[in-house]
Short mmCIF file of all heavy atoms in Angstrom, two decimals:
data_model
loop_
_atom_site.label_atom_id
_atom_site.label_comp_id
_atom_site.label_asym_id
_atom_site.label_seq_id
_atom_site.Cartn_x
_atom_site.Cartn_y
_atom_site.Cartn_z
N ILE D 234 10.44 -15.67 -21.96
CA ILE D 234 11.89 -15.61 -22.03
C ILE D 234 12.51 -16.95 -22.03
O ILE D 234 13.49 -17.24 -22.76
CB ILE D 234 12.47 -14.65 -20.90
CG1 ILE D 234 11.96 -13.13 -21.11
CG2 ILE D 234 14.07 -14.71 -20.95
CD1 ILE D 234 12.41 -12.31 -19.91
N LEU D 242 18.51 -15.63 -29.51
CA LEU D 242 20.03 -15.49 -29.38
C LEU D 242 20.79 -16.35 -30.50
O LEU D 242 21.64 -15.79 -31.14
CB LEU D 242 20.57 -16.14 -28.04
CG LEU D 242 20.32 -15.33 -26.72
CD1 LEU D 242 20.68 -16.22 -25.58
CD2 LEU D 242 21.01 -14.00 -26.84
N TRP D 256 23.13 -19.42 -21.91
CA TRP D 256 22.79 -18.04 -21.57
C TRP D 256 21.33 -17.94 -20.90
O TRP D 256 21.07 -17.18 -19.97
CB TRP D 256 22.91 -17.05 -22.67
CG TRP D 256 24.35 -16.79 -23.08
CD1 TRP D 256 25.43 -17.46 -22.64
CD2 TRP D 256 24.89 -15.70 -23.80
NE1 TRP D 256 26.62 -16.94 -23.07
CE2 TRP D 256 26.28 -15.80 -23.89
CE3 TRP D 256 24.23 -14.67 -24.53
CZ2 TRP D 256 27.14 -14.96 -24.61
CZ3 TRP D 256 24.99 -13.69 -25.14
CH2 TRP D 256 26.51 -13.87 -25.20
N TYR D 260 19.81 -16.88 -17.12
CA TYR D 260 18.61 -16.13 -16.80
C TYR D 260 17.77 -16.73 -15.57
O TYR D 260 17.41 -16.09 -14.63
CB TYR D 260 17.66 -15.96 -18.08
CG TYR D 260 16.38 -15.72 -17.74
CD1 TYR D 260 15.73 -14.52 -17.41
CD2 TYR D 260 15.29 -16.75 -18.00
CE1 TYR D 260 14.46 -14.33 -17.11
CE2 TYR D 260 13.89 -16.65 -17.68
CZ TYR D 260 13.47 -15.31 -17.42
OH TYR D 260 12.17 -15.16 -17.20
N THR D 290 13.86 -2.82 -12.84
CA THR D 290 15.17 -3.57 -13.29
C THR D 290 14.83 -4.49 -14.49
O THR D 290 15.64 -4.56 -15.47
CB THR D 290 15.69 -4.35 -12.07
OG1 THR D 290 15.97 -3.39 -11.04
CG2 THR D 290 16.94 -5.11 -12.43
N ALA D 291 13.67 -5.25 -14.42
CA ALA D 291 13.46 -6.17 -15.43
C ALA D 291 13.10 -5.41 -16.71
O ALA D 291 13.46 -5.89 -17.85
CB ALA D 291 12.17 -7.03 -15.08
N LEU D 292 12.44 -4.22 -16.58
CA LEU D 292 12.18 -3.42 -17.82
C LEU D 292 13.52 -2.96 -18.45
O LEU D 292 13.58 -2.97 -19.71
CB LEU D 292 11.30 -2.28 -17.44
CG LEU D 292 10.74 -1.47 -18.63
CD1 LEU D 292 9.95 -2.21 -19.65
CD2 LEU D 292 9.90 -0.33 -18.08
N ALA D 293 14.49 -2.53 -17.63
CA ALA D 293 15.70 -2.06 -18.07
C ALA D 293 16.55 -3.19 -18.81
O ALA D 293 17.08 -2.98 -19.83
CB ALA D 293 16.52 -1.54 -16.94
N GLY D 294 16.45 -4.41 -18.19
CA GLY D 294 17.13 -5.49 -18.88
C GLY D 294 16.62 -5.96 -20.05
O GLY D 294 17.27 -6.32 -21.04
N ALA D 295 15.12 -5.90 -20.14
CA ALA D 295 14.58 -6.23 -21.45
C ALA D 295 14.83 -5.17 -22.49
O ALA D 295 15.08 -5.55 -23.68
CB ALA D 295 13.05 -6.34 -21.32
N ALA D 296 14.92 -3.91 -22.13
CA ALA D 296 15.18 -2.82 -23.09
C ALA D 296 16.65 -3.01 -23.55
O ALA D 296 16.86 -2.61 -24.84
CB ALA D 296 14.99 -1.45 -22.46
N LEU D 297 17.48 -3.58 -22.88
CA LEU D 297 18.80 -3.78 -23.28
C LEU D 297 18.96 -4.83 -24.48
O LEU D 297 19.72 -4.69 -25.32
CB LEU D 297 19.78 -4.27 -22.17
CG LEU D 297 21.27 -4.29 -22.26
CD1 LEU D 297 21.67 -2.88 -22.59
CD2 LEU D 297 21.87 -4.93 -20.94
N LEU D 298 17.93 -5.72 -24.54
CA LEU D 298 17.88 -6.65 -25.58
C LEU D 298 17.57 -6.10 -26.99
O LEU D 298 17.83 -6.63 -27.98
CB LEU D 298 16.91 -7.76 -25.37
CG LEU D 298 17.22 -8.61 -24.01
CD1 LEU D 298 16.05 -9.53 -23.70
CD2 LEU D 298 18.49 -9.41 -24.18
N ILE D 299 16.88 -4.90 -27.01
CA ILE D 299 16.45 -4.29 -28.08
C ILE D 299 17.62 -3.52 -28.76
O ILE D 299 17.66 -3.57 -30.02
CB ILE D 299 15.32 -3.24 -27.77
CG1 ILE D 299 14.06 -3.93 -27.36
CG2 ILE D 299 15.02 -2.36 -29.09
CD1 ILE D 299 12.98 -3.07 -27.02
N PRO D 303 26.76 -5.66 -29.11
CA PRO D 303 27.33 -6.86 -29.32
C PRO D 303 26.64 -8.06 -28.31
O PRO D 303 25.95 -7.60 -27.41
CB PRO D 303 28.80 -6.76 -28.75
CG PRO D 303 28.98 -5.25 -28.96
CD PRO D 303 27.65 -4.51 -28.90
N PRO D 304 26.71 -9.24 -28.69
CA PRO D 304 25.98 -10.38 -28.03
C PRO D 304 26.28 -10.29 -26.52
O PRO D 304 25.21 -10.68 -25.73
CB PRO D 304 26.59 -11.62 -28.67
CG PRO D 304 26.83 -11.22 -30.06
CD PRO D 304 27.45 -9.85 -29.86
N VAL D 305 27.30 -9.96 -25.99
CA VAL D 305 27.63 -9.99 -24.53
C VAL D 305 26.55 -9.12 -23.88
O VAL D 305 26.18 -9.36 -22.58
CB VAL D 305 29.01 -9.55 -24.24
CG1 VAL D 305 29.23 -8.08 -24.57
CG2 VAL D 305 29.44 -9.81 -22.88
N PHE D 306 26.03 -8.05 -24.47
CA PHE D 306 25.15 -7.19 -23.81
C PHE D 306 23.82 -7.84 -23.72
O PHE D 306 22.94 -7.57 -22.88
CB PHE D 306 24.90 -5.83 -24.60
CG PHE D 306 26.19 -4.94 -24.41
CD1 PHE D 306 27.09 -4.86 -25.31
CD2 PHE D 306 26.18 -4.06 -23.38
CE1 PHE D 306 28.19 -4.02 -25.10
CE2 PHE D 306 27.27 -3.23 -23.14
CZ PHE D 306 28.20 -3.31 -24.07
N SER D 307 23.45 -8.87 -24.64
CA SER D 307 22.30 -9.70 -24.45
C SER D 307 22.31 -10.59 -23.22
O SER D 307 21.37 -10.73 -22.55
CB SER D 307 22.05 -10.50 -25.85
OG SER D 307 21.89 -9.70 -26.93
N LEU D 308 23.56 -11.14 -22.98
CA LEU D 308 23.84 -11.88 -21.84
C LEU D 308 23.47 -11.04 -20.63
O LEU D 308 22.80 -11.48 -19.64
CB LEU D 308 25.24 -12.48 -21.77
CG LEU D 308 25.53 -13.17 -20.46
CD1 LEU D 308 24.65 -14.44 -20.12
CD2 LEU D 308 27.01 -13.60 -20.52
N ALA D 309 23.95 -9.86 -20.57
CA ALA D 309 23.69 -8.96 -19.47
C ALA D 309 22.27 -8.70 -19.30
O ALA D 309 21.66 -8.70 -18.38
CB ALA D 309 24.49 -7.68 -19.66
N GLY D 310 21.58 -8.43 -20.48
CA GLY D 310 20.11 -8.16 -20.55
C GLY D 310 19.33 -9.32 -19.96
O GLY D 310 18.30 -9.03 -19.21
N PHE D 311 19.60 -10.57 -20.19
CA PHE D 311 18.93 -11.77 -19.74
C PHE D 311 19.18 -11.83 -18.28
O PHE D 311 18.31 -12.13 -17.47
CB PHE D 311 19.47 -13.02 -20.42
CG PHE D 311 18.80 -13.31 -21.70
CD1 PHE D 311 19.24 -12.92 -22.86
CD2 PHE D 311 17.56 -14.00 -21.64
CE1 PHE D 311 18.59 -13.09 -24.07
CE2 PHE D 311 16.88 -14.32 -22.87
CZ PHE D 311 17.44 -13.85 -24.04
N MET D 312 20.43 -11.71 -17.77
CA MET D 312 20.66 -11.81 -16.33
C MET D 312 20.01 -10.68 -15.57
O MET D 312 19.53 -10.97 -14.49
CB MET D 312 22.13 -11.76 -16.08
CG MET D 312 22.92 -13.00 -16.75
SD MET D 312 24.62 -13.08 -16.36
CE MET D 312 24.68 -13.32 -14.58
N ILE D 313 20.05 -9.42 -16.09
CA ILE D 313 19.51 -8.26 -15.36
C ILE D 313 17.90 -8.47 -15.35
O ILE D 313 17.27 -8.26 -14.31
CB ILE D 313 19.78 -6.90 -16.17
CG1 ILE D 313 21.24 -6.65 -15.90
CG2 ILE D 313 18.90 -5.90 -15.60
CD1 ILE D 313 21.77 -5.54 -16.75
N THR D 314 17.36 -9.06 -16.46
CA THR D 314 15.86 -9.28 -16.45
C THR D 314 15.53 -10.26 -15.38
O THR D 314 14.55 -10.19 -14.64
CB THR D 314 15.44 -9.79 -17.81
OG1 THR D 314 15.85 -8.69 -18.73
CG2 THR D 314 13.95 -9.88 -17.84
N GLY D 315 16.35 -11.42 -15.30
CA GLY D 315 16.09 -12.42 -14.34
C GLY D 315 16.24 -11.88 -12.89
O GLY D 315 15.28 -12.11 -12.02
N LEU D 316 17.22 -11.08 -12.65
CA LEU D 316 17.39 -10.56 -11.30
C LEU D 316 16.16 -9.55 -10.97
O LEU D 316 15.78 -9.48 -9.86
CB LEU D 316 18.77 -9.86 -11.19
CG LEU D 316 20.07 -10.59 -11.14
CD1 LEU D 316 21.19 -9.78 -11.37
CD2 LEU D 316 20.06 -11.40 -9.87
N GLY D 317 15.71 -8.89 -11.95
CA GLY D 317 14.59 -8.04 -11.73
C GLY D 317 13.29 -8.77 -11.44
O GLY D 317 12.43 -8.27 -10.61
N ILE D 376 8.77 -8.65 -24.93
CA ILE D 376 9.17 -8.71 -23.49
C ILE D 376 9.06 -7.30 -22.86
O ILE D 376 8.56 -7.27 -21.73
CB ILE D 376 10.50 -9.27 -23.29
CG1 ILE D 376 10.56 -10.64 -23.84
CG2 ILE D 376 11.02 -9.16 -21.86
CD1 ILE D 376 9.69 -11.65 -23.32
#
Side-chain angles (χ1 to χ4, degrees):
I234 294 173
L242 291 170
W256 285 18
Y260 156 73
T290 301
L292 187 57
L297 194 59
L298 299 175
I299 294 179
V305 67
F306 287 92
S307 296
L308 172 61
F311 274 93
M312 294 184 67
I313 291 171
T314 303
L316 288 170
I376 300 302

